[in-house]
DNA sequence: AGCCAGGCCCTCC
DNA sequence: GGAGGGCCTGGC
């Protein structure tokens, strides 16, 4: 089925910019796994074509709408950055890139994996976790796996998980899975909490510091003011925004600085800066290799 | 070979 | 409270 969406919609930047790690392009479609369903998407004119299994497209549509946050008015967010030429430049290049609202559990594990890593490796890690521990979903010829539940990973045992080349993150994931599976923290309920309270709750988890917690808040808990300070953003801020004195601030202090600077949609400024900076860097690398 | 990668944790001051 | 080093693994 084809659904109407807000315009414009930048599918490529939204799905492959490192917010989520289960989307891949093939044959003009983007294929992913969303809340236990294999979903294929492609643009058709101004609309978005959806195929899904095992649930049919009619029942998946509202889930996809929430996942993409189609209720969010991007133009209002863009307008809030009207005074910032740097952000405006990135918006021009990736207009229609949206911030996803993923399953918080999957998002949490994904960003625990992200520490000291890169998008390619994180993608492989998440794939291995799903294939090894996730419930199979039949999808035509090939078998695709859902993301494992907290209980699945809590019961997995570090010996089996230890083979997945997650490194020191194995223990973090295992311990965090136990916390969630035992009901000591209800991730979904954090959507109703304030940004600050939810941040504090997440930072208690093994392998979750300020950066990872802010990724989870931004990409799955509907907290647009969340601002993950990773090395890319750190560089971008140091180069383009911070004074010499401010450059020496700690990561959480830089986060506070940025949240004050960019306001209640700081997370969108973050995502556009991150994507822009990362693609620019890759482009430079490519050119230097050629020369 | 050696450094860095979308950090976190522990130690020590 | 914050600076510094270690850490699995992989890529260059």
């Amino acid at each position: 089925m084809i659904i109407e969406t807000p315009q414009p919609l930048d599918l490529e930047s939204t799905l492959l910019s490192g917010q989520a790690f289960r989307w891949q392009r093939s044959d003009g479609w983007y294929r992913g796994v969303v809340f236990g369903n294999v979903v294929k998407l492609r643009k058709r004119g101004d609309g978005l074509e959806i195929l899904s299994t095992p649930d049919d497209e009619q029942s998946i549509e509202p889930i996809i709408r929430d996942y993409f946050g189609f209720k969010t008015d991007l133009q209002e967010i863009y307008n809030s950055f009207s005074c910032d030429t740097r952000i405006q430049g990135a918006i021009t290049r990736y207009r229609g890139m949206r911030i996803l609202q993923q399953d918080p559990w999957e998002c949490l594990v994904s960003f625990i994996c992200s520490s000291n890593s890169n998008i390619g490796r994180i993608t492989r890690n998440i794939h291995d976790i799903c294939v090894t521990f996730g419930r199979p979903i039949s999808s035509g010829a090939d078998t695709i796996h859902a993301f494992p539940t907290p209980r699945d990973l809590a019961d997995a045992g570090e010996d089996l998980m230890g083979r997945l080349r997650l490194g020191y993150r194995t223990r973090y994931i295992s311990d965090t899975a136990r916390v969630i599976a035992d009901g000591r923290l209800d991730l979904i309920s954090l959507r109703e909490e304030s940004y600050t309270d939810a941040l504090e709750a997440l930072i208690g988890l093994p392998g979750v510091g300020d950066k990872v917690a802010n990724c989870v808040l931004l990409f799955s808990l509907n907290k647009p003011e969340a601002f993950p300070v990773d090395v890319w953003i750190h560089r971008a801020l140091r180069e383009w925004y911070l004074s010499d004195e401010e450059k020496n601030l700690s990561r959480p202090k830089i986060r506070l600085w940025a949240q004050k600077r960019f306001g209640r949609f700081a997370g969108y400024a973050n995502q556009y800066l991150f994507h822009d900076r990362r693609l620019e860097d890759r482009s430079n690398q490519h050119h230097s290799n050629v020369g």
Side-chain angles (χ1 to χ4, degrees):
Chain A
M1 71 182 295
I2 297 180
I3 66 170
E4 289 184 17
T5 72
Q7 298 298 324
L9 172 62
D10 184 343
L11 264 191
E12 173 88 12
S13 297
T14 301
L15 297 176
L16 301 182
S17 60
Q19 303 182 51
F21 302 93
R22 297 208 70 191
W23 290 96
Q24 57 188 55
R25 290 192 69 146
S26 67
D27 305 330
W29 292 85
Y30 294 88
R31 194 201 71 194
V33 183
V34 185
F35 296 103
N37 280 272
V38 179
V39 175
K40 292 173 86 172
L41 303 173
R42 68 176 170 185
K43 297 188 75 167
R44 268 295 180 262
D46 280 350
L48 181 65
E49 184 170 9
I50 306 178
L51 295 177
S52 69
T53 182
D55 296 341
D56 62 25
E57 288 77 18
Q58 279 73 18
S59 54
I60 284 297
E61 175 184 0
I63 291 172
I64 292 294
R65 289 194 174 281
D66 287 344
Y67 183 76
F68 276 89
F70 283 148
K71 283 183 187 166
T72 300
D73 181 0
L74 275 188
Q75 194 54 53
E76 179 195 358
I77 293 170
Y78 294 162
N79 291 344
S80 77
F81 304 127
S82 59
C83 297
D84 189 310
T85 55
R86 182 69 59 178
I87 304 291
Q88 287 298 328
I91 289 172
T92 305
R93 286 183 278 283
Y94 316 113
R95 186 174 293 276
M97 174 168 68
R98 310 193 69 90
I99 287 186
L100 298 169
Q101 290 305 312
Q102 306 173 52
D103 168 39
W105 164 242
E106 175 175 342
C107 192
L108 175 60
V109 174
S110 299
F111 284 96
I112 288 176
C113 286
S114 76
S115 96
N116 245 351
S117 190
N118 55 72
I119 291 179
R121 185 180 173 198
I122 300 163
T123 302
R124 192 174 61 243
N125 289 157
I126 295 301
H127 175 262
D128 290 344
I129 287 173
C130 291
V131 168
T132 309
F133 301 112
R135 177 177 52 85
I137 308 167
S138 61
S139 165
D142 44 14
T143 302
I144 303 196
H145 294 259
F147 195 86
T149 64
R151 178 51 64 194
D152 289 338
L153 291 190
D155 294 344
E158 292 190 24
D159 48 345
L160 183 51
M161 209 190 300
R163 297 179 202 164
L164 302 186
R165 295 180 299 179
L166 296 162
Y168 57 82
R169 304 162 195 81
T170 301
R171 185 166 44 82
Y172 295 153
I173 292 170
S174 191
D175 291 349
T176 290
R178 216 160 287 127
V179 173
I180 306 301
D182 292 351
R184 280 176 274 163
L185 175 64
D186 180 2
L187 290 173
I188 294 292
S189 74
L190 295 182
R191 284 202 169 125
E192 315 309 321
E193 304 273 342
S194 71
Y195 165 77
T196 311
D197 289 349
L199 177 64
E200 197 175 333
L202 286 172
I203 283 186
L205 294 168
V208 181
D210 195 83
K211 189 273 176 182
V212 170
N214 273 276
C215 285
V216 176
L217 290 166
L218 182 59
F219 300 136
S220 73
L221 292 173
N222 199 24
K223 300 287 184 283
E225 68 268 50
F227 195 95
V229 180
D230 55 47
V231 295
W232 297 92
I233 289 294
H234 199 185
R235 277 179 207 145
L237 292 179
R238 286 169 60 109
E239 185 172 335
W240 294 326
Y241 289 92
L242 299 175
S243 68
D244 285 344
E245 297 220 345
E246 289 163 340
K247 287 187 209 296
N248 297 323
L249 293 173
S250 67
R251 293 289 188 87
K253 292 231 170 102
I254 286 183
R255 168 173 65 74
L256 287 170
W257 182 96
Q259 288 173 316
K260 189 176 175 190
R261 170 74 172 74
F262 297 116
R264 64 196 171 109
F265 301 120
Y268 282 82
N270 185 299
Q271 184 61 18
Y272 279 79
L273 269 182
F274 172 77
H275 193 50
D276 201 34
R277 181 80 189 190
R278 187 171 157 268
L279 292 191
E280 181 186 309
D281 196 82
R282 279 175 47 165
S283 165
N284 289 340
Q285 246 178 358
H286 178 68
H287 291 314
S288 68
N289 287 344
V290 170

